[in-house]
Amino acid sequence: MAEYQWHDYDVIIIGAGGAGLRAAIEAKGRGLRTALICKSLLGKAHTVMAEGGVAAAMGNVHSDDNWQVHFRDTMRGGKMLNNWRMAQLHAQEAPDRVHELEAWGALFDRTEDGRILQRDFGGHRFARLAHVGDRTGLELIRTLQQRAVSMDIDVFMECKILRLLTDAEGLVSGAVGYWRPSGEMVAFSAKAVVLATGGAGKSWKYTSNSWECTGDGHAMALWAGADLIDMECVQFHPTGMVWPLSVRGLLVTEGVRGDGGVLRNSEGRRFMFDYVADMFRAETADTEEEADRWYEDHSAGRRPPELLPRDEVARAINTEVKSDRGSAHGGVLLDIASRRSAEYIRRRLPSMYHQFMELAGVDITSEAMEVGPTCHYFMGGVRVDADTGAATVPGLFVAGEVAGGMHGANRLGGNSLSDLLVFGRRAGMGASDYASGRPGAPVPDRGEIDDAITEALAPFDRTDGENPYQLHEELQDTMQSLVGIIRTGEELERALEQLDVLRDRASNVAIGGGRSYNPGWNLATDLPAMLTVSRLVTLGARDRKESRGGHTREDFPSPDPEFAKVNLVQRQPSGGGVGGDIKIGPEPILEMPPELKSLFEENH
Ligand code: FAD
């Protein structure tokens, strides 16, 4: 029998980004024995990288803004595939969550009359993003972390969870993992588990995501029997750095365009005017003059096409590059230097200024940036109940980027940080209520613990086997080239074949050295999740035979109204663990009530 430490809680939260921290604060505040577990250091979660801001219809800059407009923008941005109830709760509750952060000590940028300043972002009709320069995620994490520490929440950091545990009745009842510093194993029993493990971009070669984003939560939920939805909807952010190669993919915030930056091709043309889809034509400027007037006064013109939703802009850049109108290193040019003063740029976009200066030797106050699409965000994820965050398997609650539904087929910028706060709190509430009503101590299946530990340690027993770095590189090549921004049926079939081969090879990984801080071993334990999530994305992309939001099929270039009515749901019917048989099929999306439908009528 394997050796491991043992801890017992009412609620454990896996993940200490914005969603996990907010969930933990809620559960602890309701008096539950709460533990927060994260595989990096506390305060270092990927959320810390968020730049542009948190979207909330507070109306501080434009008094016409309200939750109904935010709701409508979110649904239209998501190409109506969103869970409408999530989008509604999100739009209604985001302002309270931002004010709560402020009350807990967050220092937002201010308007001249002292209110929280809000900036423009793609797809949002009004300036709506509360921000702290371009370092909003840092302030959000700092504030939530201080709050959590002041509440004396137990934190297990540098502790990587490998598998969720169930009891004899199939209720999620804990988790098992290991300490990264020592390699010692650890198991938790809990009446309720909140998953808040973030995204999964690390399976692509060019990504804005941090090292943590390996899709562990998506995979663990699937293995525990939960449903996942719309995994094919992956957002490629239009503006990642394309040069130098060592940092290719690193994000350039949409705030650059919100603050006046424009996209040009190698001919100097503001090409986004050529790519305005019918759905957005009425509210988008026809000419450069009109677009520029809007920056000075929003009532004097319509929005610039550079601020269309991300999927539209990313596809346009992709087309320009493929048509040989790209920049020297295969991107396009993002120019704010010729449009704003150096002082303004350094004040509004301090991180971007330093990022380009230090990494690329480019002074963005005098030169244009080279940018191109980068794998950024997972709209698909674990299917949840909007009000409680409950997954389809009892005992499991999910919040943040690992949850699906809120953003439909495409997320608007700024809507993730607000999502983390709104649904982190709700998942914390849902888990607390569930745990409070669950009698007795949970009894996780010890066999599941032994199996997970045996599987994790197996690479140390092999002297001759696969190198995890080699497998990771091949996986990234496969996903980048065959399941990227534009997809075809033939390429997706090829990707599935390659994923089969990689899965078989991954079961033969060999690792040398000890367990303490062993990066090769850490990567080896990431591979099952990365391979699982890659398969989910590829299967979904193969079966969604249309183009919608973040999912574009060259062989099915238009949206299909029939696909607008369904989520593509994936599950492993028997749980089945790693490598089990995944079932996929369409299931009807929730019908929107008439009072919300009416918000999409002409006069709104
Ligand atoms: P994360 O912040 O990713 O946290 C995940 C947590 O789970 C971490 O603590 C991690 O250690 C832990 N974890 C993962 N797996 C395990 C495991 N197996 N065991 C234990 N712990 C685990 N969105 C906006 O709304 N506005 C913005 O301005 C914005 N800017 C962005 C800028 C950049 C550069 C990037 C990359 C993203 C940006 N986003 C923005 C998106 C947003 O930051 C993310 O979607 C969001 O932070 C995800 O938060 P989360 O709490 O779900 O997960």
Side-chain angles (χ1 to χ4, degrees), residues 14-20 37-40 45-47 49-53 159-161 196-198 208-209 212 216 220 251 376-377 400-401 411 414-417 420:
I14 306 172
I37 305 165
C38 53
K39 68 180 177 182
S40 61
H46 171 82
T47 298
M49 295 166 76
E51 295 164 351
C159 179
K160 180 180 169 175
I161 297 300
T197 46
S208 63
N209 285 194
E212 296 165 290
D216 302 1
M220 288 193 286
L251 196 77
H376 184 57
Y377 185 87
E401 191 170 339
R411 174 177 71 88
N415 269 0
S416 172
L417 294 188
L420 310 181

Side-chain angles (χ1 to χ4, degrees), residues 134-352:
D134 56 1
R135 295 177 180 139
T136 313
L138 177 62
E139 186 67 356
L140 187 142
I141 284 284
R142 184 191 69 76
T143 307
L144 292 176
Q145 181 185 333
Q146 282 186 358
R147 180 88 186 165
V149 168
S150 74
M151 294 173 83
D152 208 15
I153 294 172
D154 290 353
V155 178
F156 294 77
M157 60 178 146
E158 295 200 281
C159 179
K160 180 180 169 175
I161 297 300
L162 296 162
R163 294 287 285 271
L164 300 176
L165 302 172
T166 51
D167 69 1
E169 292 165 46
L171 311 181
V172 171
S173 298
V176 56
Y178 66 93
W179 291 100
R180 287 164 57 92
S182 64
E184 282 176 85
M185 296 292 165
V186 53
F188 297 84
S189 94
K191 293 180 174 178
V193 175
V194 179
L195 261 185
T197 46
K202 275 313 214 191
S203 293
W204 279 259
K205 195 166 175 177
Y206 304 129
T207 178
S208 63
N209 285 194
S210 77
W211 65 271
E212 296 165 290
C213 299
T214 48
D216 302 1
H218 297 83
M220 288 193 286
L222 180 87
W223 299 334
D227 289 0
L228 284 91
I229 57 170
D230 302 331
M231 288 296 287
E232 61 283 4
C233 296
V234 177
Q235 180 170 81
F236 288 79
H237 192 291
T239 60
M241 288 178 82
V242 297
W243 190 256
L245 272 186
S246 56
V247 292
R248 186 163 182 159
L250 204 65
L251 196 77
V252 180
T253 175
E254 199 165 320
V256 176
R257 282 171 285 138
D259 284 347
V262 295
L263 292 164
R264 298 186 198 279
N265 63 18
S266 57
E267 297 161 3
R269 180 174 166 71
R270 264 177 85 174
F271 58 85
M272 278 310 302
F273 286 95
D274 305 334
Y275 294 93
V276 182
D278 287 346
M279 187 179 196
F280 301 105
R281 200 167 288 284
E283 64 202 45
T284 308
D286 289 330
T287 62
E288 293 192 25
E289 293 68 34
E290 184 186 3
D292 287 349
R293 276 202 307 276
W294 177 90
Y295 277 115
E296 305 314 320
D297 172 3
H298 286 14
S299 59
R302 290 170 295 170
R303 297 166 60 78
E306 282 86 359
L307 289 179
L308 284 168
R310 290 174 174 175
D311 53 332
E312 312 284 335
V313 183
R315 274 194 300 273
I317 293 176
N318 198 58
T319 307
E320 287 296 306
V321 173
K322 284 201 164 162
S323 310
D324 287 333
R325 293 189 292 271
S327 60
H329 300 102
V332 293
L333 297 168
L334 174 57
D335 167 30
I336 192 164
S338 70
R339 298 173 54 83
R340 296 286 181 261
S341 71
E343 185 279 323
Y344 179 93
I345 296 168
R346 275 197 292 264
R347 177 166 48 82
R348 296 279 294 177
L349 302 161
S351 297
M352 291 302 102

Side-chain angles (χ1 to χ4, degrees), residues 401-594:
E401 191 170 339
V402 61
M406 161 64 208
H407 306 284
N410 175 54
R411 174 177 71 88
L412 297 185
N415 269 0
S416 172
L417 294 188
S418 37
D419 165 354
L420 310 181
L421 297 171
V422 168
F423 294 107
R425 171 176 167 272
R426 282 190 165 269
M429 276 161 46
S432 301
D433 289 348
Y434 176 88
S436 303
R438 187 170 170 182
V443 187
D445 182 338
R446 302 267 169 168
E448 287 182 1
I449 301 176
D450 286 341
D451 288 351
I453 292 176
T454 305
E455 186 185 305
L457 295 178
F460 288 113
D461 297 334
R462 300 187 194 107
T463 46
D464 191 19
E466 296 281 350
N467 178 331
Y469 291 98
Q470 178 67 33
L471 291 177
H472 187 207
E473 194 176 325
E474 290 183 37
L475 173 65
Q476 288 181 319
D477 284 341
T478 298
M479 297 308 285
Q480 188 72 34
S481 59
L482 300 178
V483 200
I485 183 163
I486 310 282
R487 300 151 179 185
T488 70
E490 186 270 322
E491 287 181 348
L492 293 166
E493 291 296 350
R494 246 188 311 140
L496 286 171
E497 284 165 22
Q498 292 184 14
L499 289 173
D500 281 346
V501 174
L502 288 170
R503 180 190 56 202
D504 293 346
R505 288 172 57 195
S507 62
N508 188 34
V509 165
I511 299 292
R515 289 200 224 167
S516 169
Y517 275 130
N518 184 329
W521 181 44
N522 292 331
L523 180 58
T525 63
D526 289 340
L527 281 173
M530 282 195 276
L531 285 160
T532 300
V533 171
S534 299
R535 176 170 299 277
L536 293 170
V537 173
T538 312
L539 286 170
R542 181 198 65 187
D543 283 10
R544 188 173 281 281
K545 294 188 169 64
E546 64 156 356
S547 293
R548 182 176 300 276
H551 168 65
T552 304
R553 285 281 298 256
E554 196 171 88
D555 42 357
F556 296 95
S558 305
D560 176 343
E562 290 307 307
F563 271 111
K565 298 178 192 157
V566 294
N567 295 127
L568 280 187
V569 181
Q570 304 198 53
R571 62 175 73 99
Q572 281 187 187
S574 54
V578 185
D581 194 17
I582 298 168
K583 299 274 179 256
I584 177 166
E587 292 184 20
I589 61 173
L590 226 53
E591 177 83 15
M592 193 186 292

